[in-house]
Amino acid sequence: PDKENKFYRTENFDPNVASVQDFEKMGLSSAIAHRIENFRRKGGKFRDKSDLKKIYGLRETDYNRLEPFILIRKDQNTPLET
C-alpha cells in the first residue's frame, strides 16, 4: 500500500516532546520514531522545524506532510496553540 494515500492522525505537535507513539500515529515508522527519541535522549533539541530533516532516514515526503503541524515551543511550559 502507498503510504501517501493513507490517512494519518496529524495535529500540531512539538518534536521535542512528542512520544514514539505520537510519531507512529502520524505515519512515521517505528525506526524513525525511535531515532527521534534517541536524538532527544542524547541531548538533541529541535530549535527550528527544518531540524527534523536532520533525522537520518526521514523521507522528504513525510517531512513535507508533517511540516505544517510542527510547532516548536521556545519555553516547554507554554502549551501548544491549536
Side-chain angles (χ1 to χ4, degrees):
D2 184 10
K3 283 185 116 180
E4 269 57 61
N5 293 327
K6 286 186 178 180
F7 174 77
Y8 295 106
R9 181 185 70 96
T10 309
E11 54 192 37
N12 292 340
F13 71 98
D14 183 340
N16 289 305
V17 296
S19 69
V20 167
Q21 292 78 18
D22 290 335
F23 286 116
E24 290 173 344
K25 287 176 186 173
M26 290 181 244
L28 297 183
S29 70
S30 177
I32 297 296
H34 281 93
R35 204 167 285 148
I36 293 168
E37 181 183 57
N38 290 339
F39 169 77
R40 295 186 316 212
R41 194 172 331 123
K42 292 177 181 179
K45 285 236 184 257
F46 298 100
R47 291 178 175 82
D48 188 71
K49 287 182 177 191
S50 63
D51 287 347
L52 195 59
K53 291 182 186 181
K54 297 176 184 174
I55 298 298
Y56 178 78
L58 180 69
R59 297 179 330 161
E60 187 173 353
T61 54
D62 286 329
Y63 174 80
N64 290 338
R65 180 173 49 80
L66 296 175
E67 190 271 337
F69 304 98
I70 300 170
L71 292 177
I72 296 178
R73 293 180 279 199
K74 303 299 181 203
D75 173 2
Q76 291 302 311
N77 295 319
T78 304
L80 285 178
E81 297 174 6
T82 54

